[in-house]
Amino acid sequence: MSPRASKPRAAKAPVAPLDPQHVLRATYALDRAYVRRLNDHVVHSGTAEMLVVSPATGQPVGSVSTSTAADVAVAFDVARDAARTWAETSFEEREQLLMRLHDLILDRQDEIMDLICWESGKARIHAFDEPLHVALTARYYARTLHKHLGPKRRDGVVPFLTRIDEHRTPKGVVAIISPWNYPFTMAMVDGLAALAAGNTVVAKPDHHTPLSALLGADLLREAGFPPGVWQVLVGSGRELGTPMIERADYVCFTGSTATGKLIATQCAERLTGCSLELGGKNPILVLADADLDRAAEGAVRAAFSNGGQLCVSTERLYVAREVYDDFVAKFVARTKSMRLGSSHGWGVDMGSLISAEQLAVVDEHVRDAVKHGARVLAGGKARPDLGPHFYEPTILEDVTPAMACHGDETFGPVISVYPFDSEDEAIELANTGDYGLNAAIYSRDVERARALATRVHCGTVNVNEAFGATFASIDAPMGGMRSSGMGRRQGAEGILRYTEVQSVATQYILRFGPHWGMTDEAYAGVMTAAVKLLSWLGRA
């Protein structure tokens, strides 16, 4: 059913944003009052805390309360109670709240970017993507609620005598389990679509980056969203994940393929729906007629944005042999000119990796490749002089299937380049492996590139752009094929996944069974003749 009309609730008195110079000290330690304010959004019953550490410097950022399995039950009870009222709010009220959030995020983007940089170690230019993407998402679903969720008429089996009304109702309480690589974006965008659809949310951000997610919850409160509709749990996925899945009406997960498979199995046991954005080994194809400067610029962003720690970033680069040498020279030159650093100001091209574990994976992949004969064209080593988890943007050549980085996801600033001799070969190479998340094709012949794109087994394909065109186009669905996941965020699919669909049929005059004295055989004959007539008339 469609939400009833209701008078918009008055927003709570807004909490004045804290001055960034006060909040974010030069020592990389957050002001304790600011952390306490964010910590108010954690559902926790004990006194246990975890220390959030800046990966760029190894210095403490702040302490956050942690949740237990018992707290999971509390969070879901509160969210389920709030869901009864929230599901009945009007589209107009939800639109107002989402647009209020949109404005707040844009007004507070400096604070958001600062916190993202401190907590994740990424460069400011990559942190900027996050508040922008969340604001775009809030605005998109605010403006399209009626379009996606409003009642719709469908064709009935008998024209004029059968009426079908389709309704969308919220599923209930949605569990959002989000990763560390885009800590503000991934903590917010999937949950905003769930809220827009009339659900409430229980969110668990990754333990590396809880503060960015808690700032999102703080902004929701300031925008006027009712208490209870957005609950945040902080802690280990091993401890909190299963209790969340056991209580959720729908699960949205972004993370590794291995964990995604476990979640899918748990959801299947309860017949609970889920959407999963998982790993990728994403390719770029540079065709012989490509603008090589444009392709090289795009490849740098595709491979090294956020230190390569982006689900849709590129780790495989296939280049037409006739332009291979020229392109590689341009790509290597651009890569070697990148500026690395831990500064939170503008002008840094790449920041830190998230952890020692991630650094170890990257280093091992490069060492293994070199050991088995690969050549390092750029980068190839850690940079402890810049910070504990820095690694140079790295380009490898002569990578073979014997090397771990050939097929395994590195999730770091490492890309391998390969020549190809025909476009059919390029498509075959792009489709190698089990993943299918994102791809890009560079060519001056955009019609041919679009045709080739349909042959690439990936959920999103960009022509003459690395990933931003699909990532930022909120009306377009985004997600993976094959081992890169199931379900989609963004667009109609991004909100409809959080709804149950109900068809209501109203039948006039005609009954579906023998009547007016008909025998069963006569009824069957009449119905068959009617179906043939409808087919002749061109009706569905």
Side-chain angles (χ1 to χ4, degrees), residues 418-431:
Y418 312 84
F420 66 81
D421 293 304
S422 71
E423 291 176 1
D424 286 341
E425 180 192 6
I427 295 298
E428 183 179 353
L429 290 169
N431 289 333

Side-chain angles (χ1 to χ4, degrees), residues 204-241:
K204 194 204 82 65
D206 188 87
H207 68 279
H208 287 98
T209 54
L211 292 168
S212 298
L214 292 172
L215 178 54
D218 198 60
L219 291 167
L220 285 165
R221 180 172 65 183
E222 184 171 337
F225 282 84
V229 302
W230 191 282
Q231 301 288 294
V232 183
L233 299 163
V234 171
S236 163
R238 292 179 181 274
E239 182 179 0
L240 305 181

Side-chain angles (χ1 to χ4, degrees), residues 88-102:
E88 296 298 318
T89 56
S90 68
F91 291 156
E92 289 73 20
E93 179 174 357
R94 295 181 209 170
E95 177 182 350
Q96 289 176 15
L97 293 172
L98 287 166
M99 287 308 301
R100 208 174 292 157
L101 178 67
H102 166 276

